[in-house]
């Protein structure tokens, strides 16, 4: 009798479990998540086939150009974007700024990006993401960094790349590094795993899991410098689960066309004929800056550890 | 028996894994109409329904019409979450592209934003005595179902599992759990269709190369 009453009231229902948090990014796989700065751009992104939007006040290219401290967006902007679209809405908080994260959670965003694109609030500690009901995505340059974030409760990973440059070289470097390290891990004898965990500064339990399954325990996207359909397909062929496009779309000549093209390229990443077709007449890509031309101080990927 | 998963966007890999666990020997990923040849059952995974509408509409590939034609000829189709929305005749408040094969009216994001996504256990009589773990991720709900639709399960918000002849739909994601009963149930539908389809071919068609190939695909 007791069980029946319970079931009628759905009292065995649980929100915010690790399974539920990891599942949202699973639904976004083979999709494109686009940076948008207002409701109008969000609608264009949704109509072009984006699986989610990242609500920001400035895209990374403008954050670079403007300088100064970059913080969480005005909640008013996030609310407007949430009202404009039916797809998931993500937003960024500064590394370590758990109060910005609490605010975003209360606004009902679907996922929080603890992002190196904003100015870090804490140079030593990242957010304890396991405390939150909604999933976090975090950037990483290598496997150790990815597994530390997962250890803190991140439900999704992405490469850091070098945001706001339009130069894909760092996203490729980080994707190759992470996926290469995973492949290596699967062939190491078990007695070497503890030392490996110590050397890369990663939680041992998660190292064991990755060694056994040959993949991260969460969805892994590429981000940082993707500007063309070919860039998106390149990262997909390297083995990521989907892509973030930041400045690449709305800093280009024809955002709508480019957005649609990148969506198609992410699905048909293995089909050069489709890639050729969607790459035609896209107009000007974002101007971009080569990563090599950046001063050490200008690189964002080194933020966080 | 050849199973397929629509692999344009979403958690298609998880579905393929589940079908293999249920004993499917061949699981193909479908991205264009040609990939559907010789397929006996199709799973439409979880994902974003606006994205799938975009990727199947407005394209030179006839994948959209091919799925409809095959489903109308009896091929079993199972849609989860996005797949359920894509199968529905009517989507409350949206006119987005959909197959409109099932006589159901659905509400997108019926549970609200991700913080209201949840897991729980419910009884589903068709799957046996034990409760089934259901996971709703910004999930839809079925508001109403036509007379040909059999309702299998509901929660407070509305209907979450139903079947209309060869079409099966769940608002939840069994592919994210370790319980294979929904996929096994669907495999049963596919098996019945494949056997029926193959025996019909044997009787009516002369043994052309195509017929031999499709018999081979049925495991005959």
């Amino acid at each position: 009798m007791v069980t029946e009453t319970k079931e009628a009231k759905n009292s065995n229902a649980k929100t915010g479990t690790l399974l539920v948090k990891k599942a949202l990014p699973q639904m976004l796989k083979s999709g494109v998540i686009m940076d948008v700065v207002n409701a109008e751009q969000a609608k264009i992104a949704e109509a072009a086939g984006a699986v989610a939007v990242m609500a920001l006040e400035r895209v990374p290219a403008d954050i670079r150009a403007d300088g100064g401290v970059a913080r969480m967006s005005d909640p008013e902007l996030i609310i407007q974007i949430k009202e404009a679209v039916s797809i998931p809405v993500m937003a960024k908080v500064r590394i370590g700024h758990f109060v910005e994260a609490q605010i975003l959670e209360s606004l009902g965003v679907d996922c929080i990006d603890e992002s190196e694109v904003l100015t870090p609030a804490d140079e030593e500690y990242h957010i304890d993401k396991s405390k939150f009901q909604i999933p976090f995505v975090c950037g990483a340059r290598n496997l150790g960094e990815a597994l530390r974030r997962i250890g803190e409760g991140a439900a999704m990973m992405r490469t850091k790349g070098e945001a706001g440059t339009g130069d894909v070289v760092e996203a490729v470097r980080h994707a190759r590094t992470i996926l290469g390290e995973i492949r290596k891990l699967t062939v190491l004898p078990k007695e070497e795993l503890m030392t490996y965990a110590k050397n890369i500064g990663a939680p041992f339990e998660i190292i064991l899991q990755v060694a056994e399954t040959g993949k991260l325990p969460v969805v892994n996207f590429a981000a940082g410098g993707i500007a063309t359909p070919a860039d998106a397909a390149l990262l997909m062929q390297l083995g990521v689960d989907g892509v973030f496009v930041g400045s690449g779309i709305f800093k280009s000549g024809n955002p709508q066309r480019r957005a649609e093209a990148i969506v198609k390229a992410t699905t048909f990443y293995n089909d050069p004929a489709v890639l050729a077709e969607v790459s035609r007449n896209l107009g000007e890509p974002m101007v971009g800056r080569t990563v090599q031309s950046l001063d050490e101080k200008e690189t964002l990927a080194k933020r966080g550890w | 028996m050849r199973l397929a998963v629509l692999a344009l966007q979403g958690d298609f890999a998880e579905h393929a894994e589940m079908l293999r666990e249920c004993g499917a020997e061949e699981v193909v990923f479908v991205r264009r109409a040609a990939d559907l040849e010789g397929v006996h059952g199709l799973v439409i995974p979880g994902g974003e329904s606006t994205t799938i509408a975009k990727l199947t509409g407005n394209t030179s590939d006839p994948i959209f019409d091919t799925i409809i034609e095959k489903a109308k000829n009896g091929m079993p189709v199972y849609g989860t979450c996005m797949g359920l929305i894509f199968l529905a005749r009517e989507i409350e408040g949206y006119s987005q592209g959909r197959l409109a094969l099932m006589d159901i009216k659905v509400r997108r994001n019926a549970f609200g934003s991700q913080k209201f996504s949840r897991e729980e256990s419910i009884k589903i009589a068709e799957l046996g005595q034990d409760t089934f773990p259901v996971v709703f991720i910004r999930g839809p709900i079925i508001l109403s179902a036509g007379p040909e639709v059999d309702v299998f399960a509901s929660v407070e918000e509305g209907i979450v599992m139903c079947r209309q002849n060869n079409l099966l739909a769940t608002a939840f994601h069994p592919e994210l759990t370790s319980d294979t009963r929904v996929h096994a149930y669907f495999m049963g539908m596919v098996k019945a269709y494949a056997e029926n389809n193959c025996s019909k071919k044997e009787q009516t068609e002369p043994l052309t190369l195509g017929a031999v190939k499709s018999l081979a695909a049925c495991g005959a």
Side-chain angles (χ1 to χ4, degrees):
Chain A
M1 291 304 280
V2 175
T3 11
E4 279 195 18
T5 321
K6 264 188 180 174
E7 271 182 20
K9 286 184 179 167
N10 279 340
S11 75
N12 70 20
K14 287 186 249 92
T15 57
T17 61
L18 191 56
L19 171 73
V20 167
K21 290 197 277 187
K22 278 162 66 170
L24 177 86
Q26 283 176 282
M27 299 309 144
L28 306 180
K29 289 201 289 183
S30 286
V32 183
I33 300 166
M34 301 181 192
D35 278 4
V36 297
V37 300
N38 55 44
E40 187 197 348
Q41 287 187 356
K43 282 184 182 157
I44 293 172
E46 183 179 49
V51 290
V53 291
M54 178 74 70
L56 296 156
E57 274 174 13
R58 292 175 291 170
V59 292
D62 289 336
I63 291 174
R64 256 182 209 294
D66 299 352
V69 179
R71 310 178 179 90
M72 177 189 79
S73 298
D74 184 336
E76 177 59 27
L77 173 87
I78 293 166
I79 290 166
Q80 283 171 10
I81 289 173
K82 261 177 66 73
E83 280 170 0
V85 294
S86 63
I87 56 178
V89 174
M90 303 184 171
K92 289 182 193 288
V93 298
R94 287 178 265 178
I95 289 173
H97 207 316
F98 51 85
V99 173
E100 286 186 346
Q102 291 162 4
I103 292 170
L104 289 186
E105 183 173 53
S106 84
L107 288 174
V109 305
D110 296 294
C111 180
I112 295 173
D113 185 358
E114 186 182 19
S115 177
E116 70 283 359
V117 168
L118 304 183
T119 312
D122 194 320
E123 291 193 330
E124 204 163 352
Y125 304 108
H126 286 252
I127 296 170
D128 172 12
K129 293 163 274 285
S130 64
K131 272 190 189 156
F132 289 79
Q133 289 276 305
I134 56 174
F136 276 73
V137 56
C138 290
R141 289 159 295 176
N142 52 53
L143 186 62
E145 193 172 13
L147 299 192
R148 287 191 289 278
R149 297 295 84 77
I150 294 168
E152 292 160 354
M156 178 183 191
M157 292 305 307
R158 55 170 175 77
T159 63
K160 284 182 168 173
E162 194 54 47
T165 59
D167 187 348
V168 80
V169 67
E170 292 300 303
V172 168
R173 189 192 319 280
H174 300 159
R176 278 199 184 275
T177 302
I178 292 168
L179 296 166
E181 286 174 314
I182 291 172
R183 281 190 290 270
K184 235 179 274 169
L185 197 48
T186 61
V187 296
L188 287 184
K190 194 159 181 216
E191 68 271 18
E192 295 185 13
L193 294 179
M194 182 58 88
T195 303
Y196 190 83
K198 171 183 165 246
N199 289 343
I200 68 168
F204 180 61
E205 294 306 319
I206 309 178
I207 284 279
L208 285 180
Q209 207 179 335
V210 175
E212 196 185 307
T213 61
K215 56 185 185 189
L216 290 181
V218 301
V219 164
N220 182 32
F221 271 43
I226 294 160
T228 69
D231 288 348
L234 171 66
L235 270 308
M236 290 297 290
Q237 286 198 29
L238 285 175
V240 301
D241 296 318
V243 298
F244 284 86
V245 186
S247 321
I249 289 171
F250 289 99
K251 283 282 160 192
S252 74
N254 189 340
Q256 188 174 341
R257 242 187 114 99
R258 185 165 294 266
E260 286 175 6
I262 294 177
V263 167
K264 238 177 157 184
T266 303
T267 290
F268 296 99
Y269 65 92
N270 253 334
D271 191 331
V274 173
L275 299 176
E277 179 58 35
V278 302
S279 300
R280 287 171 68 178
N281 290 321
L282 287 185
E284 284 295 305
M286 70 175 285
V287 175
R289 273 186 77 176
T290 65
V291 169
Q292 278 194 332
S293 73
L294 299 177
D295 280 346
E296 181 82 354
K297 273 196 276 179
E298 290 180 294
T299 59
L300 304 176
K302 295 205 174 66
R303 295 169 170 182
W305 57 278
Chain B
M1 202 162 84
R2 180 186 285 188
L3 272 297
V5 186
L6 191 65
L8 293 167
Q9 193 273 314
D11 70 335
F12 49 84
E14 285 81 345
H15 275 287
E17 188 61 34
M18 206 67 170
L19 292 169
R20 283 189 206 103
E21 252 176 67
C22 290
E25 284 155 16
E26 196 181 4
V27 183
V28 296
F29 286 135
V30 172
R31 293 194 173 87
R32 44 182 70 238
D35 300 332
L36 282 163
E37 209 175 299
V39 161
H40 300 109
L42 176 70
V43 175
I44 306 177
E48 279 308 312
S49 64
T50 49
T51 304
I52 211 75
K54 181 78 192 172
L55 287 167
T56 52
N58 205 0
T59 154
S60 54
D61 189 83
I63 184 162
F64 187 84
D65 294 332
T66 309
I67 295 173
I68 291 177
E69 190 195 317
K70 293 193 73 116
K72 285 194 169 158
N73 286 329
M75 178 184 75
V77 180
Y78 167 36
T80 57
C81 196
M82 165 184 87
L84 175 151
I85 297 168
F86 200 44
L87 283 169
R89 178 179 50 78
E90 190 181 348
I91 305 169
E92 185 190 50
Y94 294 93
S95 58
Q96 66 195 60
R98 60 197 179 278
L99 299 167
L101 287 164
M102 275 184 111
D103 190 12
I104 53 176
K105 180 179 177 180
V106 305
R107 172 179 293 162
R108 294 181 55 201
N109 299 338
F111 297 81
S113 70
Q114 172 64 13
K115 80 175 152 180
F116 303 106
S117 290
R118 67 173 194 238
E119 55 176 314
E120 63 186 290
S121 292
I122 61 170
K123 279 223 160 130
I124 303 175
E126 274 70 14
L127 302 177
Q129 276 294 305
D130 295 339
T131 57
F132 194 87
V134 291
V135 185
F136 300 104
I137 305 300
R138 297 179 86 253
I141 211 88
I142 299 163
L143 296 170
S144 59
E148 278 185 56
V149 180
D150 293 320
V151 173
F152 284 3
S154 301
V155 296
E156 268 180 22
E157 289 83 354
I159 302 166
V160 294
M161 180 174 186
C162 65
R163 176 177 175 177
Q164 179 183 334
N165 304 314
N166 58 320
L167 309 171
L168 183 69
T170 62
F172 52 89
H173 294 280
E175 77 279 11
L176 300 181
T177 72
S178 54
D179 197 321
T180 55
R181 282 179 288 163
V182 173
H183 286 79
Y185 179 91
F186 178 65
M187 294 266 290
M189 290 167 61
V190 177
K191 195 161 177 254
Y193 166 74
E195 277 166 5
N196 188 23
N197 210 32
C198 290
S199 61
K200 258 193 236 158
K201 278 213 168 102
E202 257 173 321
Q203 288 157 11
T204 57
E205 281 179 23
L207 273 184
T208 59
L209 185 59
V212 171
K213 267 192 192 157
S214 81
L215 279 174
C218 293

